[in-house]
Amino acid sequence: MQEPTSTEAVDVVGRYEAGQEMPERMRTDVRVLGALLGRVLAESGSEGLFDDVERLRIATIAAYTDPDPAAFARAAEVAESFSVARADEVARAFTAYFHLVNLAEEHQRVRVLRDRDGEADRPDATDTVVGAFAQLSAEIGAEAAAQRLAGLRFHPVFTAHPTEARRRAVSTAIRRLSRLLDDYDASLPQSAQSRQAERRMLEEIDTLWRTAPLRAEKPSPVDEVRSIMAVFDDTLFTTVPRVYRRIDDALAAAGGSRPPLAPSFVRVGTWVGGDRDGNPFVTADVTRQAAGIASQHVLLGLEHAASRIGRALTLDAATTPPTPALLALWEALAGADPEAAAEIADRSPDEPHRRVLLLIARRIAAARAGDAGYADPDELLADLRVVQDSLAAAGAARQAYGHVQELIWQVETYGFHLAELEARQHSAVHAKVLAELDAGGERSELAEEVLSVFRTIADIQSRLGPRAAGRYIVSFTQSAQDLANVHRLARYAVGAGATPPVLDVIPLFETFADLQAAPGILAEIVQHPEFAARLDATGRRLEVMLGYSDSSKDVGPVAANLALYEAQALIAAWADENGIELTLFHGRGGALGRGGGPANSAILAQPPHSVDGRFKLTEQGEVIFARYGDADIAMRHIDQVGAAVLLASAPSNEQRNRAAAQRFAEVAQTMEDASKDRFYALVQAPGFAPWFATVTPMEEVGLLALGSRPARRGLSVESLADLRAIPWVFAWTQARINLAGWFGLGSALEAVGDLALLQEAYRQWPLLRAMVDNVAMSLAKTDDRIAREYLALGDRDDLAQLVLDELALTRSWVVRIAGGDGLLANKPVLQRAVKLRSPYVDALSLLQLRALRGLREAPAGAPADPELQRLLLLSVSGVAAGLQNTG
């Protein structure tokens, strides 16, 4: 086999690049960043590195564009020709390239959002809160729509699941590059500003290249807490009030001169430092630290905001006279901090509103320091509203409802805790500890740790209020007793006569059987005295969590999606009949096998009354930084989700979903049965689990220092029950098979068999449409040729052929149902993103295969080759960067 000649190489790359139908400015960004990376590689001091990277790049592009097996064989030969040390460098180069392409794509998204600024607020743009409100008003009337808007709630919960393969140092470098790309974009060509931006980008790319791509050690839970704090500090703290302001301005364009119409509808939760299910490193002390770190961050942010607004509030008492309530507030604040009050009064004579707000900032600082400051956020809100009312009464409405209102929104959204810290533990742990406590005797280390969690929750609530830490999720809830056990443990923890912490105990239904049993369990638990008391105290509010990951691993993605829909419909109907305000908490991951995909389309596909203006979901791994790492993208995401939550309960949407569920009930049952049978034929085959561990880098994924939680429950993988859902999905993704996201859909559609009926269902049934579109994205990221190479690592031709047959069948049906000449034909932007990355992901996959073969071919019992192991881990990180939604 001969490599392409130089002329052929130029032609291959030229044709490929010309075929990438990307916006011209994005094409320029990719070229500029790619050229700078090439320069860094050429100057790296590693002789021939740039040429070797180009050889593999050209070969994989040729293989991607040429169906001839010889082209793929040539690319594989290039990957095999490198020494392990050179393959290591090449893998790092391709990974760096993906980081730059991802940056260019994100930059283009931001550019488009900014170019369309204003269009998004049109009343007919129903993917915005303003447009959704207009449509809802047309359907149910303005007054009823306003009531629903006032009750709107979007509650993302950040989790520390290990799917973000980038080091924080790498993420930080990319964020710096993003700002420099902004500067470059804004400068004139060949100007001093553009040359400076280019020079600094070159410096950052060089730093990125020289930064070790893999963590040396797994992060601790506290490290994970601090990593999440970066999202709040850099984006969310200031972005969320901007979302409210934008909506408020569009709803009634009055320049912030009247009380706001937009509610503070975002509440943020976190499992980071609270999720102890299967993670022995999350202790009560970690939970205490997590709450303290988050509180420090938000109080510092509130202090700075109050101080900044106060310094600018230079309104004279003659033009803006204070109300008696404001004067009384000044006296109270000055009495508590006389020295500061005297100094502020000297610097702000006849500026009563400025003086009060600066003392409010001082009192927030005292709360942060643990001195005699604000006891809780309600106390702060009361003082801020005194300032606001005084300004409004004096005719300074723009100041009252401008920055002061934004500070009020921040306090309403984040309180003194920033994110509502949720605890989670497995029901079996609770049962085991209770059995020990009931038996009496000396308490084990496990029992003491479980009880100390409840004491910690009580302590956090006493310092930061019940909102700070009051939700307790019970994993693998299988009976009402599993939920009642939490209250028993809380009473044990505080002792006889003492008051336990305020707890909202939330069942997590994860397996197929548990989802089916959920309505009966809920009907029983609400009769429990402590549950009944809590329902009464909250106005009959109840939260129920649904697990996507384990249900999908249990019965396959198709049956799991259908079971989740059915469970939601039954739970929602039960709640409606019993006068309960239900919030369904969706345990969705980033990958399709874990419930991933666009959140707004998923919301609009939910059963009637299962949303009702409230939507809560987990945000995990790389998804957190993709959705919330950039302010413009975060604003758009929150606005889109808010719009979908409003529209989900519109009569037209509920009627569409209800009619589709009835019309296609028989189709759903046929699909569920056929997909489940096909899935069981694979995963219940003798020897499946060890085969899976052989044909994917599942074992090696556990070696990556991604997160603090162990990748599996036992010491070895003898069955799927031993394996957590995240590495199950992650490993199939790395093997370019993505099985967890689509397996069984082809057989399900084949069992229905009626193309016209399925095309009608795709048009009219939102659930099927979302499922088919998500699978199309998953399939677009598969590669048959590379998948065959991974499957060949295991000595089970029967299982390999089963996978490949189902892959071909699923692809065929998805293309026919969705229409067009290939996958994602109806989603050109997504199709472009996949095509842009695919040949470069192929390059890393070939390097990973080389390493995996070497590790698999080692003599039994021999220690793993550390160089091959490192190469494999580098390629895992690179493929994750290239595919993006990995877990």
Side-chain angles (χ1 to χ4, degrees):
M1 299 178 185
Q2 298 295 316
E3 291 180 36
T5 65
S6 178
T7 303
E8 289 173 335
V10 171
D11 289 345
V12 165
V13 175
R15 285 195 302 271
Y16 166 73
E17 291 182 344
Q20 303 309 301
E21 298 178 1
M22 69 179 80
E24 191 53 41
R25 288 195 289 179
M26 179 180 167
R27 188 186 300 275
T28 299
D29 289 343
V30 171
R31 284 176 176 168
V32 167
L33 293 170
L36 293 176
L37 175 61
R39 187 169 162 188
V40 166
L41 297 177
E43 296 172 355
S44 67
S46 182
E47 187 177 349
L49 172 59
F50 176 78
D51 293 337
D52 283 342
V53 170
E54 282 296 287
R55 275 203 304 142
L56 185 55
R57 184 174 82 97
I58 292 164
T60 50
I61 289 174
Y64 183 73
T65 55
D66 185 353
D68 185 351
F72 181 74
R74 281 195 294 268
E77 187 177 288
V78 173
E80 292 286 344
S81 70
F82 301 138
S83 67
V84 178
R86 176 45 56 90
D88 181 305
E89 292 179 309
V90 172
R92 287 178 56 202
F94 276 96
T95 301
Y97 177 77
F98 280 133
H99 292 320
L100 299 180
V101 169
N102 292 344
L103 170 60
E105 194 169 62
E106 180 183 281
H107 194 68
Q108 178 63 20
R109 286 180 64 196
V110 171
R111 189 184 281 132
V112 168
L113 289 173
R114 291 173 180 171
D115 288 347
R116 292 179 181 170
D117 192 34
E119 290 183 26
D121 295 330
R122 296 193 328 265
D124 60 339
T126 56
D127 62 344
T128 69
V129 168
V130 173
F133 178 74
Q135 179 170 325
L136 199 58
S137 297
E139 292 192 34
I140 64 174
E143 185 176 346
Q147 288 179 343
R148 295 199 183 180
L149 177 64
L152 178 65
R153 187 72 79 234
F154 170 44
H155 195 150
V157 178
F158 292 169
T159 79
H161 287 285
T163 56
E164 170 58 89
R166 294 181 302 186
R167 288 184 59 204
R168 185 174 173 184
V170 171
S171 300
T172 303
I174 293 167
R175 196 53 58 204
R176 291 195 299 264
L177 267 170
S178 178
R179 290 191 287 269
L180 292 171
L181 197 55
D182 269 335
D183 294 344
Y184 184 80
D185 211 24
S187 62
L188 294 172
Q190 303 304 314
S191 65
Q193 185 181 1
S194 74
R195 288 194 297 274
Q196 181 183 15
E198 187 171 323
R199 178 189 61 76
R200 292 179 63 201
M201 284 194 294
L202 185 63
E203 180 183 345
E204 287 294 348
I205 292 171
D206 191 34
T207 299
L208 182 66
W209 166 251
R210 294 172 185 275
T211 299
L214 300 176
R215 298 183 182 97
E217 296 178 350
K218 282 181 176 286
S220 71
V222 174
D223 293 332
E224 291 170 333
V225 170
R226 296 191 186 282
S227 180
I228 290 295
M229 287 302 106
V231 178
F232 289 106
D233 294 346
D234 297 344
T235 307
L236 280 183
F237 184 72
T238 53
T239 296
V240 170
R242 286 174 58 201
V243 174
Y244 303 153
R245 174 63 69 198
R246 183 188 181 109
I247 293 169
D248 195 61
D249 287 346
L251 286 173
S257 60
R258 44 95 191 114
L261 298 177
S264 55
F265 65 86
V266 177
R267 295 294 182 270
V268 182
T270 179
W271 282 9
V272 188
D275 181 9
R276 59 232 329 120
D277 178 13
N279 192 341
F281 307 111
V282 176
T283 63
D285 184 58
V286 165
T287 300
R288 185 178 288 104
Q289 288 185 64
I293 291 168
S295 177
Q296 286 290 309
H297 277 256
V298 72
L299 286 170
L300 186 62
L302 294 173
E303 176 196 341
H304 287 170
S307 181
R308 171 179 51 79
I309 296 166
R311 287 196 303 271
L313 209 58
T314 54
L315 311 181
D316 190 82
T319 61
T320 317
T323 60
L326 187 89
L327 294 174
L329 177 58
W330 164 256
E331 292 299 328
L333 293 173
D337 195 355
E339 290 185 14
E343 182 184 344
I344 289 171
D346 287 343
R347 287 190 283 109
S348 309
D350 300 321
E351 294 171 346
H353 297 91
R354 183 176 194 263
R355 294 190 305 187
V356 168
L357 208 45
L358 289 175
L359 274 186
I360 286 174
R362 290 270 305 175
R363 197 166 179 211
I364 297 170
R368 181 169 61 85
D371 296 332
Y374 286 106
D376 56 48
D378 289 340
E379 195 177 355
L380 170 58
L381 281 170
D383 284 0
L384 290 174
R385 290 198 172 101
V386 169
V387 176
Q388 186 176 61
D389 292 345
S390 179
L391 288 166
R398 295 191 186 282
Q399 289 75 19
Y401 304 116
H403 290 307
V404 172
Q405 177 58 45
E406 288 164 17
L407 178 56
I408 288 172
W409 276 330
Q410 286 175 316
V411 179
E412 289 176 334
T413 299
Y414 299 118
F416 284 0
H417 52 271
L418 189 58
E420 299 175 19
L421 183 61
E422 302 185 357
R424 182 171 77 128
Q425 183 55 281
H426 199 291
S427 59
V429 172
H430 294 153
K432 181 179 179 180
V433 170
L434 272 174
E436 177 189 326
L437 295 172
D438 290 343
E442 188 176 350
R443 293 175 180 177
S444 67
E445 186 177 335
L446 175 64
E448 288 292 354
E449 175 57 34
V450 167
L451 295 178
S452 66
V453 171
F454 294 97
R455 300 183 195 113
T456 298
I457 291 172
D459 179 56
I460 293 170
Q461 290 183 357
S462 70
R463 290 185 293 114
L464 303 174
R467 264 184 65 194
R471 289 182 173 87
Y472 196 107
I473 294 107
V474 182
S475 299
F476 282 90
T477 296
Q478 298 180 321
S479 69
Q481 189 59 50
D482 288 336
L483 303 173
N485 284 346
V486 176
H487 288 291
R488 287 194 61 209
L489 285 165
R491 291 196 301 274
Y492 261 117
V494 299
T499 303
V502 176
L503 292 175
D504 289 306
V505 182
I506 300 168
L508 170 50
F509 300 112
E510 300 184 76
T511 67
F512 184 73
D514 294 343
L515 288 169
Q516 292 181 313
I521 293 172
L522 293 171
E524 182 180 348
I525 193 60
V526 295
Q527 305 302 319
H528 188 274
E530 279 150 321
F531 263 81
R534 187 62 185 150
L535 280 176
D536 291 342
T538 61
R540 296 190 66 75
R541 292 177 186 158
L542 182 68
E543 196 168 301
V544 176
M545 185 172 183
L546 305 171
Y548 285 66
S549 305
D550 282 283
S551 58
S552 181
K553 187 165 69 77
D554 190 27
V555 294
V558 178
N561 270 284
L562 294 169
L564 283 159
Y565 184 92
E566 183 181 359
Q568 289 176 73
L570 292 173
I571 293 169
W574 167 81
D576 192 45
E577 290 168 7
N578 289 274
I580 287 172
E581 184 182 296
L582 174 71
T583 297
L584 287 173
F585 180 7
H586 301 263
R588 291 157 51 95
L592 301 181
R594 304 191 58 241
N600 51 327
S601 59
I603 294 166
L604 291 170
Q606 302 305 308
H609 298 299
S610 64
V611 178
D612 277 349
R614 300 172 296 280
F615 188 70
K616 184 177 179 182
L617 81 166
T618 51
E619 300 278 37
Q620 302 177 353
E622 78 279 1
V623 170
I624 294 173
F625 294 94
R627 289 179 176 166
Y628 304 100
D630 177 271
D632 293 280
I633 291 172
M635 285 184 68
R636 177 60 176 147
H637 173 67
I638 293 168
D639 197 20
Q640 278 186 311
V641 172
V645 173
L646 270 184
L647 281 183
S649 54
S652 59
N653 191 71
E654 291 200 336
Q655 177 56 32
R656 179 169 58 248
N657 288 343
R658 185 180 293 109
Q662 293 170 352
R663 166 78 175 86
F664 301 109
E666 189 175 333
V667 171
Q669 190 60 58
T670 300
M671 290 178 63
E672 180 179 315
D673 293 342
S675 68
K676 207 188 317 179
D677 288 345
R678 187 66 160 172
F679 187 73
Y680 287 161
L682 178 67
V683 301
Q684 292 182 358
F688 169 78
W691 174 79
F692 161 66
T694 301
V695 301
T696 70
M698 188 278 294
E699 293 281 0
E700 288 76 15
V701 164
L703 300 174
L704 270 174
L706 295 179
S708 64
R709 173 188 272 184
R712 60 191 181 210
R713 293 184 171 91
L715 296 176
S716 63
V717 179
E718 299 300 330
S719 71
L720 283 187
D722 298 323
L723 188 67
R724 295 193 178 280
I726 296 167
W728 160 254
V729 173
F730 198 90
W732 281 122
T733 305
Q734 287 290 320
R736 303 295 298 284
I737 299 171
N738 289 346
L739 180 143
W742 57 261
F743 192 89
L745 181 61
S747 291
L749 299 173
E750 181 80 8
V752 176
D754 186 333
L755 179 59
L757 176 62
L758 288 168
Q759 288 175 331
E760 179 191 357
Y762 179 73
R763 291 190 298 270
Q764 298 181 8
W765 186 14
L767 179 66
L768 182 69
R769 186 179 189 91
M771 191 186 306
V772 169
D773 287 349
N774 284 343
V775 166
M777 180 176 72
S778 185
L779 292 175
K781 296 181 180 184
T782 64
D783 188 287
D784 288 35
R785 303 160 307 166
I786 291 173
R788 288 179 187 276
E789 297 294 322
Y790 278 95
L791 293 172
L793 295 171
D795 189 20
R796 289 293 299 274
D797 292 345
D798 57 330
L799 297 181
Q801 197 59 51
L802 182 60
V803 170
L804 293 170
D805 288 348
E806 186 66 19
L807 176 59
L809 184 63
T810 304
R811 184 183 288 117
S812 170
W813 273 106
V814 166
V815 171
R816 280 184 287 165
I817 290 171
D821 56 359
L823 293 167
L824 300 178
N826 59 341
K827 296 186 179 298
V829 174
L830 187 55
Q831 187 183 59
R832 178 193 74 205
V834 173
K835 287 183 175 180
L836 177 64
R837 291 170 171 80
S838 287
Y840 300 97
V841 179
D842 292 350
L844 281 162
S845 291
L846 290 172
L847 293 173
Q848 186 178 114
L849 272 164
R850 177 207 170 150
L852 202 56
R853 282 196 198 96
L855 292 168
R856 295 289 182 268
E857 292 167 1
D865 183 326
E867 288 189 330
L868 285 176
Q869 209 167 54
R870 174 180 161 81
L871 173 59
L872 184 116
L873 297 182
L874 283 169
S875 67
V876 165
S877 177
V879 170
L883 296 178
Q884 293 186 289
N885 58 339
T886 54

